[in-house]
Amino acid sequence: MKKSVLIAASFVLIGFSAHARAYQVTGPILELTDTKIVVQKEKEKWEIARTADTKVTGELKVGSKVTIEYTMTASTIEAKPDKSSSALPAPPTPPTPPKPKAPPVPAPAPVKKPK
């Protein structure tokens, strides 16, 4: 199971922002680029964005065990309208009753020709 956590902001030290809560993840590096780092945490893979401003202590390489501190920052927020009594969906349309069947039309009686 792959769990991706994309962080838009660079890694932030605890205390950088008084309002943002800091989190951390520890595990071996599976993948490393200039823009992301992928770490294995138990059976999950965590993908975290990084920038040139990310503070790195020590040498990063695939297989090395690291502890990453990060914060979560919303990139977009979409508000949904409240569900109120005036916005209730219309009740379902009742089913149409079946049409009554017409009685069968009797076949015409055979015409007898005089002899």
Side-chain angles (χ1 to χ4, degrees):
M1 177 167 131
K2 181 176 180 179
K3 181 176 183 178
S4 295
V5 178
L6 295 176
I7 308 301
S10 64
F11 302 130
V12 181
L13 294 176
I14 297 174
F16 176 81
S17 172
H19 302 289
R21 182 174 172 192
Y23 301 90
Q24 71 178 27
V25 61
T26 300
I29 298 174
L30 298 178
E31 185 180 341
L32 181 65
T33 70
D34 291 339
T35 58
K36 72 177 178 180
I37 184 169
V38 181
V39 177
Q40 182 83 34
K41 180 179 178 182
E42 298 172 359
K43 294 182 179 182
E44 298 177 335
K45 295 179 182 177
W46 289 60
E47 179 177 339
I48 302 175
R50 65 187 206 128
T51 68
D53 296 330
T54 303
K55 181 180 175 185
V56 176
T57 304
E59 182 182 350
L60 298 180
K61 60 183 177 182
V62 174
S64 297
K65 184 176 180 180
V66 294
T67 297
I68 301 169
E69 293 180 0
Y70 62 93
T71 60
M72 288 191 239
T73 303
S75 59
T76 62
I77 299 173
E78 180 182 346
K80 302 291 183 181
D82 290 338
K83 292 182 179 180
S84 64
S85 59
S86 63
L88 292 176
T93 305
T96 306
K99 294 181 181 178
K101 294 184 179 181
V105 178
V111 178
K112 293 185 179 180
K113 290 184 182 181
K115 290 189 179 181

